[in-house]
């Protein structure tokens, strides 16, 4: 297997090991090694079986070393200084260096002045490779290697192969830019290398199957080699790959013997008890393993390269090693497994890691606790897909919950059914949940509030497209319940007010209450941005575009439509109701640009959508735009004909009066299309004062401000820091003589800056 060749350790290895016939060429890594040996120190750190030695041997045989290579295979933790330095001297001598003998004095670090004299006199440096270097921090051997490296530079280049970080003050070399590192992630095989390894065993697989095997093995060389050896005897290699995991007999035997069984008792317990976790940190590991075993966590991180950093103090275990550990845990202490999942779930829930907590409650078989956590945290939006971080379906997919399961389980069942398109189960579960919530004791006021609010959110999500009036009723109930929660709680769940505001604004627009609709939709757009809900954000933009169209502000409407169609916002599907509004707005803006033929095409698109997703309000506006388009195409006196078009429109009278100037604006005095209405700026409400010219970056920030992007989103989009964006915003406000975002956007539109 690709764990690398080893020299005999009972004699002084003097030369580079022979190139094995089974070696898989890895030029992407040998190139990095060649570059690394231009500096003083290169380390290759990875778990047993990662292919460290094989990589170094391959590189040594490429002939790209800056000088001769001296190879030393170490004796692991039991390294004796005198034996070690004897091998180093022998290897350097075999590499052609003139090295006088040296000895360690009183068992301490050896004098390193002797061997320096040979390499220092050479024109080309000597590369010393220390294979399987596992000496302890502060040991004589470690201190001697540091001294050798320091005193012999630049005549000596050191390459260290180890299962953990060697105790050579790596941070100092890292800060000075003199360290090259190849770690477990770098050593992992890619798909091409995996295919080459399989081919050595006469196994050929399709590319997707090779990728699946590599992913299952986490690119671990030994695991892939073991799989290839097993597949030589398999009649169906593809089926073997589908089942290959850490419970494979060969993998289990290898990892148990090479890794698990050589651990001290405390470390072994820590490895086994934390194997139920997808990721861990020191506090969580101690919670599961206990104080005594948890005290080994720092050593585990330092010494076990199967444990990889995941950021911010978190680590994850190599997939196949984790599989082996879980299997051993189930075999040795099966009764402990559910308890470990419960402990993990409780800790993760207390620390706000909802998805992980739900996963562990489910693994412990306690779905009721998982569902209560979802409802108590008001996380139903993550089940419904109202947020950017959706809970995976497999965590919330439940059989139909009964009364004994409680209202929370019934609510989660309803939400999961809605997300999966099962209307019957959703309706039945909502009805059952309503009854169960009504039976809750009066002294559980907070639980009642959260259950009722969850019930209302599910109804809003269900009825928003199919039953607008029912959705408005649910939105009104949501807004009446929100004041019972703390401001911090609501701020943590912007998807709830986003949905309620979008529904409220949608209804106000259709009632003809344009001012109120503008306030609701703008607030809903901001909340949708905070929630990461692209669909709500897009729909609010389209409703705002329709609203501006009805006011006759075609340029603003066109900008909203442009923003609604730009990535990363989602594309429309055939059943999206907002598509009809989009086409109506486009039709009217085309008419305002003097393009009646294009306007008629957009009207046709709108009517096609309306046949599948009826919307009486948009239907009336669509008919009105169609009438205006006909007037524009036919020409002739327009005033009376526009009046006829408006008279035939079944919209609120106040709304029609608001729309009349816009209808007149798109037609010339003769009734024909007005030439490029949008080419001229709309008259501002007040005469604009001259403003200081905005910089290019300020215009970019202002444009994103008009899209209702948050400060953080603007920073990410422009690759700026948040503080830099705030500085630009202050400058924009000063130049436009405003103090708020909305005022800045409005003022910029008045001045034709957007």
């Amino acid at each position: 297997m690709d764990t690398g060749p080893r020299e005999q350790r009972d004699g002084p290895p003097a030369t580079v090991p022979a190139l094995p016939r089974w070696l898989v060429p890895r030029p992407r890594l040998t190139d990095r090694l060649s570059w690394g040996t231009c500096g003083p120190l290169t380390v290759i750190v990875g778990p047993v079986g990662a292919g460290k030695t094989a990589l170094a041997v391959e590189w040594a045989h490429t002939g790209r070393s800056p000088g001769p290579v001296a190879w030393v295979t170490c004796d692991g933790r039991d390294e004796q200084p005198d034996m070690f330095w004897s091998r180093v001297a022998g290897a350097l001598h075999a590499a052609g260096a003139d090295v006088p003998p040296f000895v360690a004095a009183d068992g301490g670090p050896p004098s390193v002045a002797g061997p320096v004299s040979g390499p220092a006199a050479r024109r080309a440096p000597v590369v010393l490779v220390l294979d399987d270097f596992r000496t302890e921090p502060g040991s004589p051997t470690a201190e001697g290697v540091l001294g050798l490296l320091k005193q012999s530079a630049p005549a000596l280049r050191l390459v260290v192969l180890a299962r953990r970080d060697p105790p050579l003050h790596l941070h100092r070399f890292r800060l000075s830019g003199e360290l090259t590192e190849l770690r477990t992630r770098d050593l992992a095989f890619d798909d091409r290398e995996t295919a080459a390894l399989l081919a050595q065993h006469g196994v050929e697989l399709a590319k997707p199957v090779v990728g699946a095997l590599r992913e299952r093995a986490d690119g671990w060389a030994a695991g892939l080699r073991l799989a290839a050896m097993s597949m030589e005897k398999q009649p169906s290699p593809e089926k073997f790959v589908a089942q290959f995991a850490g419970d494979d007999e060969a993998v289990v035997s290898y990892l148990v013997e090479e890794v698990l069984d050589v651990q001290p008792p405390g470390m072994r317990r820590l490895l086994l008890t934390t194997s139920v976790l997808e990721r861990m940190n020191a506090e969580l590991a101690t919670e599961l393993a206990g104080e005594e075993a948890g005290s080994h966590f720092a050593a585990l991180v330092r010494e076990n390269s199967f444990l990889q950093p995941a950021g911010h103090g978190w680590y994850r275990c190599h997939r196949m090693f984790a599989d082996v550990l879980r299997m051993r845990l189930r075999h040795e202490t099966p009764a402990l497994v559910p308890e470990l999942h419960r402990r993990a779930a409780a800790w993760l829930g207390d620390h706000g890691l909802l998805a992980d907590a739900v996963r562990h409650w489910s693994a412990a078989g306690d779905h009721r606790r998982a569902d209560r956590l979802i409802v108590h945290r008001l996380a139903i939006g993550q089940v419904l897909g109202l947020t950017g971080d959706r809970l995976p379906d497999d965590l919330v997919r439940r059989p139909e919950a009964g009364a004994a399961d409680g209202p929370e389980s019934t609510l989660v069942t309803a939400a999961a059914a809605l997300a999966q398109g099962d209307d019957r189960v959703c309706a039945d579960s909502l009805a059952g949940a309503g009854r169960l919530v009504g039976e809750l004791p009066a002294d559980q006021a907070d639980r009642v509030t959260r259950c009722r609010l969850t019930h209302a959110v599910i109804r809003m999500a269900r009825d928003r497209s199919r039953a607008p009036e029912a959705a408005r009723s649910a939105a009104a109930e949501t807004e009446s319940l929100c004041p019972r929660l703390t401001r911090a709680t609501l701020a943590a769940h912007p998807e709830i007010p986003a949905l309620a505001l979008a529904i409220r604004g949608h209804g106000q627009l259709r009632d003809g209450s344009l001012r109120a609709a503008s306030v609701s939709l703008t607030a809903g757009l901001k909340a949708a941005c905070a929630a990461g809900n692209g669909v709500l954000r897009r729909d609010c933009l389209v409703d705002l575009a329709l609203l501006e169209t009805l006011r006759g502000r075609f340029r603003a409407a066109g900008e909203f439509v442009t923003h609604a169609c730009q990535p990363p916002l989602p594309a429309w599907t055939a059943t999206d109701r907002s598509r009809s509004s989009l086409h109506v707005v486009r039709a009217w803006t085309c008419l305002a640009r003097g393009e009646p033929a294009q306007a008629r095409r957009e009207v046709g698109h709108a009517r096609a959508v309306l046949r599948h997703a009826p919307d009486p309000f948009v239907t009336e506006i669509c008919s009105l735009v169609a009438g205006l388009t006909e007037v524009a195409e036919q020409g002739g006196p327009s005033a009376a004909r526009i009046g006829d078009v408006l008279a035939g429109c079944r919209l609120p009278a106040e709304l029609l009066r608001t729309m009349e100037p816009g209808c007149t604006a798109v037609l010339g005095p003769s009734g024909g299309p007005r030439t490029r209405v949008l080419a001229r700026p709309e008259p501002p409400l007040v005469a604009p004062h001259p403003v200081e010219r905005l910089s290019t970056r300020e215009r970019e920030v202002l444009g994103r401000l008009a899209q209702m992007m948050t400060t953080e989103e603007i920073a990410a989009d422009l690759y700026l820091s948040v503080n830099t964006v705030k500085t630009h915003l202050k400058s924009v406000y000063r130049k436009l003589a405003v103090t708020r975002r909305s005022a800045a956007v409005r003022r910029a539109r008045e001045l034709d800056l957007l």
Side-chain angles (χ1 to χ4, degrees), residues 3 382 532 590 628:
T3 59
Q382 291 179 244
C590 286
L628 292 176

Side-chain angles (χ1 to χ4, degrees), residues 528-692:
C529 291
N533 189 320
V535 173
L536 273 182
R537 181 175 172 180
R538 183 199 66 195
D539 290 353
C540 284
L541 284 167
V542 171
D543 271 347
L544 283 167
L546 183 59
L547 185 150
E548 295 297 344
T549 300
L550 300 182
R551 287 173 166 174
R553 301 173 181 173
F554 303 115
R555 179 177 289 103
E559 289 171 358
F560 279 126
V561 164
T562 298
H563 297 326
C565 297
Q566 287 178 340
L569 296 186
W572 274 268
T573 65
T575 57
D576 282 337
R577 288 175 174 266
S578 56
R579 283 185 66 215
S580 59
S581 299
L582 172 75
H583 289 301
V584 166
V585 172
R586 282 177 171 171
W588 213 325
T589 53
C590 286
L591 198 59
R593 284 196 296 264
E595 301 170 355
Q598 183 61 32
R600 181 169 294 283
R601 282 192 287 272
E602 292 291 347
V603 166
H605 293 321
R607 285 174 169 166
V609 176
L610 288 166
R611 282 195 292 270
H612 297 287
D615 185 330
F617 179 76
V618 177
T619 298
E620 288 299 317
I621 298 175
C622 187
S623 298
L624 186 147
V625 177
L628 292 176
T629 302
E630 185 177 348
V631 171
E633 290 176 330
Q634 292 178 356
S638 62
R641 300 178 68 188
I642 291 174
D644 291 340
V645 172
L646 290 171
C649 190
R650 292 172 294 181
L651 291 172
E654 183 179 350
L655 180 59
L656 288 174
R657 285 194 294 273
T658 301
M659 294 167 59
E660 187 171 0
C663 296
T664 305
V666 299
L667 301 176
S670 64
R674 242 183 120 124
T675 304
R676 298 194 63 78
V677 171
L678 294 181
R680 291 187 291 272
E682 299 166 18
L685 298 178
V686 294
H689 299 288
V691 297
E692 184 180 344

